[in-house]
Amino acid sequence: MSSSLRWAVLVLLSAQAMLLVQWQDLDFALRPALALWFLLACPGLALVPLLGVRDALASLSLVVALSIALDTLVAGALVYAGEWGPTRAIVLLAAVVLSGSLLQSWRVLRSGP
Protein backbone atom coordinates (compact mmCIF):
# COMPACT_ATOMS: atom_id res chain seq x y z
CA MET A 1 0.00 0.00 0.00
CA SER A 2 1.46 3.35 -0.98
CA SER A 3 1.97 6.12 1.57
CA SER A 4 -0.69 8.21 -0.17
CA LEU A 5 -3.26 5.48 0.41
CA ARG A 6 -2.15 5.09 4.02
CA TRP A 7 -2.74 8.80 4.65
CA ALA A 8 -6.11 8.61 2.89
CA VAL A 9 -7.17 5.69 5.11
CA LEU A 10 -5.94 7.44 8.28
CA VAL A 11 -7.82 10.61 7.36
CA LEU A 12 -11.01 8.67 6.60
CA LEU A 13 -10.80 6.81 9.92
CA SER A 14 -10.24 10.11 11.73
CA ALA A 15 -13.27 11.64 10.04
CA GLN A 16 -15.36 8.62 10.94
CA ALA A 17 -14.24 8.80 14.57
CA MET A 18 -15.01 12.53 14.73
CA LEU A 19 -18.46 12.02 13.22
CA LEU A 20 -19.20 9.22 15.69
CA VAL A 21 -18.09 11.32 18.65
CA GLN A 22 -20.09 14.33 17.46
CA TRP A 23 -23.33 12.50 16.60
CA GLN A 24 -23.33 10.31 19.69
CA ASP A 25 -22.27 13.25 21.86
CA LEU A 26 -19.66 11.04 23.50
CA ASP A 27 -17.78 12.67 26.31
CA PHE A 28 -14.36 11.17 26.81
CA ALA A 29 -10.89 12.47 27.62
CA LEU A 30 -9.48 12.32 24.10
CA ARG A 31 -12.33 14.21 22.43
CA PRO A 32 -10.47 17.57 22.36
CA ALA A 33 -7.35 15.90 20.95
CA LEU A 34 -9.42 14.14 18.27
CA ALA A 35 -11.16 17.40 17.38
CA LEU A 36 -7.84 19.25 17.19
CA TRP A 37 -6.32 16.55 14.97
CA PHE A 38 -9.39 16.50 12.74
CA LEU A 39 -9.67 20.28 12.36
CA LEU A 40 -5.94 21.07 11.99
CA ALA A 41 -4.80 18.16 9.84
CA CYS A 42 -7.47 16.08 8.16
CA PRO A 43 -8.89 18.52 5.55
CA GLY A 44 -5.38 19.46 4.47
CA LEU A 45 -4.13 15.86 4.47
CA ALA A 46 -7.01 14.92 2.21
CA LEU A 47 -6.16 17.59 -0.37
CA VAL A 48 -2.45 18.50 -0.24
CA PRO A 49 -1.21 15.16 -1.68
CA LEU A 50 -3.25 15.98 -4.79
CA LEU A 51 -1.07 19.06 -5.35
CA GLY A 52 2.08 17.01 -5.87
CA VAL A 53 4.30 19.02 -3.52
CA ARG A 54 7.63 17.19 -3.10
CA ASP A 55 9.12 19.10 -0.16
CA ALA A 56 8.01 17.59 3.18
CA LEU A 57 8.19 20.84 5.15
CA ALA A 58 6.24 22.75 2.52
CA SER A 59 3.71 19.95 2.41
CA LEU A 60 3.26 20.00 6.20
CA SER A 61 2.86 23.78 6.17
CA LEU A 62 0.26 23.52 3.42
CA VAL A 63 -1.63 20.83 5.33
CA VAL A 64 -2.08 23.03 8.40
CA ALA A 65 -2.74 26.23 6.43
CA LEU A 66 -5.27 24.59 4.10
CA SER A 67 -7.02 22.89 7.02
CA ILE A 68 -7.43 26.19 8.88
CA ALA A 69 -8.59 27.91 5.69
CA LEU A 70 -11.20 25.22 4.99
CA ASP A 71 -12.38 25.26 8.61
CA THR A 72 -12.84 29.02 8.39
CA LEU A 73 -14.56 28.82 5.01
CA VAL A 74 -17.03 26.19 6.19
CA ALA A 75 -17.78 28.05 9.43
CA GLY A 76 -18.26 31.34 7.60
CA ALA A 77 -20.52 29.78 4.99
CA LEU A 78 -22.67 28.20 7.70
CA VAL A 79 -22.91 31.48 9.63
CA TYR A 80 -23.91 33.43 6.52
CA ALA A 81 -26.47 30.76 5.62
CA GLY A 82 -27.94 30.97 9.13
CA GLU A 83 -27.28 27.28 9.68
CA TRP A 84 -24.35 27.37 12.09
CA GLY A 85 -23.87 24.31 14.27
CA PRO A 86 -20.83 22.28 15.23
CA THR A 87 -22.33 19.05 13.92
CA ARG A 88 -23.07 20.63 10.54
CA ALA A 89 -19.52 21.97 10.34
CA ILE A 90 -18.04 18.56 11.16
CA VAL A 91 -20.27 16.87 8.58
CA LEU A 92 -19.25 19.35 5.86
CA LEU A 93 -15.58 19.00 6.71
CA ALA A 94 -15.95 15.21 6.72
CA ALA A 95 -17.45 15.49 3.22
CA VAL A 96 -14.38 17.45 2.11
CA VAL A 97 -12.14 14.81 3.68
CA LEU A 98 -14.06 12.00 2.02
CA SER A 99 -13.87 13.69 -1.37
CA GLY A 100 -10.15 14.34 -1.12
CA SER A 101 -9.41 10.83 0.11
CA LEU A 102 -11.43 9.28 -2.69
CA LEU A 103 -9.60 11.42 -5.24
CA GLN A 104 -6.26 10.35 -3.76
CA SER A 105 -7.26 6.69 -3.89
CA TRP A 106 -8.53 7.00 -7.43
CA ARG A 107 -5.33 8.70 -8.53
CA VAL A 108 -3.13 5.99 -6.96
CA LEU A 109 -5.22 3.12 -8.35
CA ARG A 110 -5.35 4.71 -11.81
CA SER A 111 -1.58 5.12 -11.98
CA GLY A 112 -1.08 1.40 -11.29
CA PRO A 113 1.67 -0.42 -9.38
Side-chain angles (χ1 to χ4, degrees), residues 13-59:
L13 291 175
S14 299
Q16 183 180 11
M18 192 66 222
L19 285 170
L20 177 70
V21 166
Q22 189 64 33
W23 274 331
Q24 298 297 322
D25 198 25
L26 299 177
D27 191 21
F28 69 107
L30 294 178
R31 184 176 180 165
L34 177 63
L36 187 66
W37 161 254
F38 179 75
L39 294 172
L40 284 182
C42 290
L45 279 172
L47 298 175
V48 167
L50 298 171
L51 300 176
V53 178
R54 302 255 185 242
D55 184 26
L57 186 58
S59 203

Side-chain angles (χ1 to χ4, degrees), residues 33-93:
L34 177 63
L36 187 66
W37 161 254
F38 179 75
L39 294 172
L40 284 182
C42 290
L45 279 172
L47 298 175
V48 167
L50 298 171
L51 300 176
V53 178
R54 302 255 185 242
D55 184 26
L57 186 58
S59 203
L60 179 63
S61 300
L62 280 172
V63 163
V64 174
L66 185 58
S67 292
I68 292 171
L70 287 171
D71 296 345
T72 304
L73 184 68
V74 165
L78 286 172
V79 167
Y80 283 126
E83 296 293 327
W84 167 249
T87 302
R88 286 187 178 111
I90 297 296
V91 168
L92 286 175
L93 288 169

